[in-house]
Amino acid sequence: MQHLTQLLQTFSPITLSEMDEKKLMDRTDTKYIFSLSKLPFLIEQLNTEYRVLDVKGVRLSRYESLYFDTEDFELFYNHQRGKSNRHKIRFRRYVESDLIFFEIKYKNNKGRTIKNRVQQDLVETEIQNSAAIFLHKHTPIQSSTLLPQFWANYSRITLVNNNLPERVTLDLNLHFLKDNNMSNFNDLVIAEVKQENTTPSTFLKLMKKYHLRTSSVSKYCLGVIQYNNNIKHNNFKSNLRNINKILYGTSTNNK
């Protein structure tokens, strides 16, 4: 991790306010998963094309997200079925900047991700007041039907392309927390390429060069499966086998 921190210092910085000019709230998302051991090698090949988000001198930022779903996991099952016009609902705390937002991610029937958020003072275990108003404005979901499910916490590197409307996020040190029960995926990297339009970029070319394939893995869905042994997840089994192979050198999935 020290070596990774040193490599990040070779990038030119971009501030949070500068990055806000490139929010990409309406975008295409492309995800990849790979071993943490590959990350320094990839990072070394990106510093001329990308700047790195720097928040108060920190370039590996901590994120804490509390996810919500219905009692019968309607949002999870919508994702597993590949349903268009689906949502993810969460409170998110950006630790270094000490900002909290209530966030709604919406995947439409054109494959685009639209993110809306409203700033909050606290992370709450109920969706109420301004968060409830915001939810009703942007979704048909009733706030009273949503329950807090678990925390998904991780560290994130955010790279911003110098020449294209593109951000690349690299999430590591992922762990889930529910009722003091922690589940760790520390050796996994979840990379996400966020673009206005799908355009070949240096990062995407690296993924292709090193035969790293796209994946539809969702941190939220992965967390649901960790804490609900009997939940149906057939459409995620190939991704879970891939994750187990990355982490443990085996494709066996016990769930």
Side-chain angles (χ1 to χ4, degrees):
M1 194 61 66
Q2 183 178 359
H3 178 49
L4 181 60
T5 302
Q6 291 171 345
L7 287 174
L8 292 176
Q9 293 302 317
T10 67
F11 285 72
S12 297
I14 185 170
T15 66
L16 199 58
S17 59
E18 288 175 313
M19 198 179 74
D20 277 346
E21 299 174 6
K22 304 180 181 183
K23 287 183 178 179
L24 296 177
M25 304 296 267
D26 181 350
R27 68 204 187 208
T28 62
D29 292 341
T30 308
K31 291 184 180 179
Y32 299 85
I33 54 173
F34 51 85
S35 169
L36 180 61
S37 63
K38 297 181 184 296
L39 186 56
F41 173 72
L42 294 170
I43 285 286
E44 286 178 329
Q45 301 177 67
L46 295 169
N47 62 1
T48 60
E49 299 290 333
Y50 294 83
R51 288 182 288 168
V52 65
L53 177 63
D54 185 299
V55 180
K56 300 178 181 178
V58 176
R59 299 186 174 192
L60 186 60
S61 300
R62 290 171 293 162
Y63 287 53
E64 299 174 350
S65 301
L66 178 61
Y67 281 93
F68 289 76
D69 207 331
T70 62
E71 186 174 5
D72 58 358
F73 292 98
E74 179 182 356
L75 304 186
F76 169 83
Y77 282 118
N78 285 344
H79 192 284
Q80 184 185 210
R81 290 192 294 265
K83 181 180 177 182
S84 299
N85 303 318
R86 62 181 186 261
H87 298 86
K88 288 178 188 169
I89 311 294
R90 67 193 177 209
F91 279 94
R92 173 169 285 178
R93 180 176 177 233
Y94 298 80
V95 176
E96 274 70 31
S97 58
D98 198 26
L99 293 172
I100 295 169
F101 291 91
F102 176 68
E103 301 185 341
I104 300 168
K105 285 183 73 174
Y106 173 63
K107 189 74 169 282
N108 69 19
N109 57 9
K110 296 180 180 178
R112 297 189 69 84
T113 299
I114 299 169
K115 181 176 170 181
N116 291 290
R117 65 184 189 177
V118 61
Q119 192 166 349
Q120 301 285 285
D121 294 327
L122 299 169
V123 174
E124 299 189 272
T125 55
E126 292 183 41
I127 299 173
Q128 55 188 344
N129 304 322
S130 62
I133 294 169
F134 192 76
L135 178 73
H136 298 157
K137 177 181 177 182
H138 291 282
T139 79
I141 303 168
Q142 296 299 310
S143 58
S144 60
T145 67
L146 294 173
L147 303 171
Q149 298 297 336
F150 57 84
W151 289 88
N153 302 335
Y154 51 89
S155 299
R156 171 171 286 184
I157 300 165
T158 301
L159 304 178
V160 180
N161 196 306
N162 292 328
N163 303 303
L164 298 171
E166 176 196 54
R167 288 205 315 271
V168 177
T169 58
L170 301 159
D171 295 341
L172 51 150
N173 302 328
L174 171 65
H175 61 278
F176 301 106
L177 183 64
K178 181 180 177 70
D179 300 328
N180 295 320
N181 180 9
M182 185 180 290
S183 182
N184 291 310
F185 291 79
N186 289 335
D187 293 326
L188 189 72
V189 176
I190 300 178
E192 190 166 4
V193 182
K194 307 171 185 184
Q195 298 180 317
E196 283 186 356
N197 298 291
T198 304
T199 306
S201 68
T202 298
F203 186 85
L204 291 174
K205 289 174 183 176
L206 278 180
M207 296 296 99
K208 183 176 182 179
K209 179 179 179 180
Y210 296 112
H211 309 290
L212 297 171
R213 294 180 295 178
T214 59
S215 173
S216 59
V217 67
S218 156
K219 289 188 284 292
Y220 175 65
C221 293
L222 184 58
V224 169
I225 294 167
Q226 292 305 302
Y227 292 116
N228 299 274
N229 290 331
N230 297 320
I231 201 161
K232 293 181 180 179
H233 58 277
N234 290 343
N235 290 347
F236 295 125
K237 284 187 175 180
S238 62
N239 280 327
L240 292 173
R241 284 194 294 268
N242 191 21
I243 289 171
N244 282 334
K245 188 174 182 180
I246 291 169
L247 295 178
Y248 312 116
T250 175
S251 60
T252 301
N253 175 27
N254 295 323
K255 288 187 178 291

